[in-house]
Amino acid sequence: GDSVTQMEGPVTLSEEAFLTINCTYTATGYPSLFWYVQYPGEGLQLLLKATKADDKGSNKGFEATYRKETTSFHLEKGSVQVSDSAVYFCALSDPPYSSASKIIFGSGTRLSIRP
Amino acid sequence: ETGVTQTPRHLVMGMTNKKSLKCEQHLGHNAMYWYKQSAKKPLELMFVYSLEERVENNSVPSRFSPECPNSSHLFLHLHTLQPEDSALYLCASSQDARTSGGTGELFFGEGSRLTVL
């Protein structure tokens, strides 16, 4: 079946460091891909998305490119801030036209940024 | 503010109690979901309602009983829970991708933190 695999955390970085969180997927169709973020004490929020191959999603300085050839959707940010400390979830929606969205989530990667 | 409101935010209950979690969405979506988030476990999809009909029930124990009276409201009725049911329960909504042509991304509430003693 469809699945999402993302790097295990926790990931600890210093402020202004470069961030990469790896995410790969398996899917039978042509899924949409998402990154969600969960700040402490809150629910999940959509961070960015991409709906087809080579699309780049971006938001708040974060970027991820839909790579069909490598079935990947890695999250990157050039310079992280303390406020980016959160849990990040990679997810896919497959099939995209079902009667109700069936989104498959990765296990989440906890990110901690040191001042 | 995500447009999805969950109450209560925190709930402590004994194993013999009966309580309910409530979710309300103000986004005009037609699908609603309950997820369970436990420490060190992946997000677990519990129930999905689309157009007020339950379309998915992922082998959830009968001590959890969902109710969707209309497209804006979703409840999770709880009775005779176990301590291992302690978790963060997240409600979400989406627009049916088939009718909207969109990607059907989820909009989450802030969750109800449940502790079962």
Side-chain angles (χ1 to χ4, degrees):
Chain A
D2 298 345
S3 66
V4 174
T5 302
Q6 61 182 105
M7 64 189 290
E8 291 194 18
V11 174
T12 303
L13 296 172
S14 297
E15 205 165 21
E16 299 183 4
F18 184 86
L19 168 71
T20 300
I21 300 178
N22 289 339
C23 172
T24 57
Y25 68 91
T26 58
T28 53
Y30 298 93
S32 294
L33 301 174
F34 309 89
W35 277 101
Y36 283 82
V37 59
Q38 185 177 29
Y39 298 105
E42 299 184 12
L44 279 71
Q45 303 173 28
L46 180 66
L47 179 61
L48 54 83
K49 66 180 182 182
T51 58
K52 60 184 188 295
D54 299 325
D55 267 4
K56 178 185 283 189
S58 61
N59 186 24
K60 299 182 180 180
F62 291 89
E63 293 183 340
T65 301
Y66 191 142
R67 301 283 189 203
K68 193 168 186 294
E69 63 277 11
T70 55
T71 62
S72 65
F73 193 55
H74 304 322
L75 183 68
E76 296 182 335
K77 186 174 185 182
S79 176
V80 293
Q81 306 300 312
V82 172
S83 57
D84 294 327
S85 298
V87 181
Y88 292 81
F89 294 88
C90 186
L92 66 81
S93 173
D94 184 37
Y97 302 111
S98 58
S99 60
S101 303
K102 186 167 184 177
I103 295 194
I104 297 169
F105 287 89
S107 55
T109 302
R110 183 175 298 277
L111 174 66
S112 296
I113 306 300
R114 293 188 298 253
Chain B
E1 179 60 47
T2 65
V4 180
T5 303
Q6 290 187 242
T7 55
R9 293 292 310 278
H10 300 274
L11 178 63
V12 179
M13 58 187 290
M15 290 192 287
T16 57
N17 291 158
K18 288 185 181 181
K19 297 286 184 183
S20 295
L21 306 181
K22 178 183 175 183
C23 177
E24 184 173 0
Q25 58 98 0
H26 307 277
L27 300 169
H29 290 163
N30 57 14
M32 297 187 78
Y33 311 74
W34 280 116
Y35 281 86
K36 177 183 178 183
Q37 187 177 35
S38 306
K40 299 183 181 179
K41 281 188 174 182
L43 272 172
E44 300 174 51
L45 178 62
M46 300 175 72
F47 301 105
V48 181
Y49 278 82
S50 179
L51 302 173
E52 300 154 39
E53 289 189 19
R54 191 190 310 181
V55 297
E56 190 144 348
N57 175 353
N58 281 351
S59 303
V60 179
S62 59
R63 57 186 183 270
F64 295 91
S65 175
E67 179 189 0
C68 188
N70 55 61
S71 59
S72 298
H73 294 87
L74 183 66
F75 295 89
L76 187 63
H77 304 298
L78 316 169
H79 62 99
T80 59
L81 294 191
Q82 305 298 311
E84 61 263 28
D85 297 322
S86 298
L88 182 68
Y89 289 85
L90 292 165
C91 174
S93 70
S94 73
Q95 188 59 22
D96 182 344
R98 187 178 55 180
T99 59
S100 70
T103 54
E105 63 258 33
L106 298 173
F107 291 77
F108 284 86
E110 295 190 325
S112 294
R113 172 73 62 188
L114 173 66
T115 302
V116 182
L117 302 176

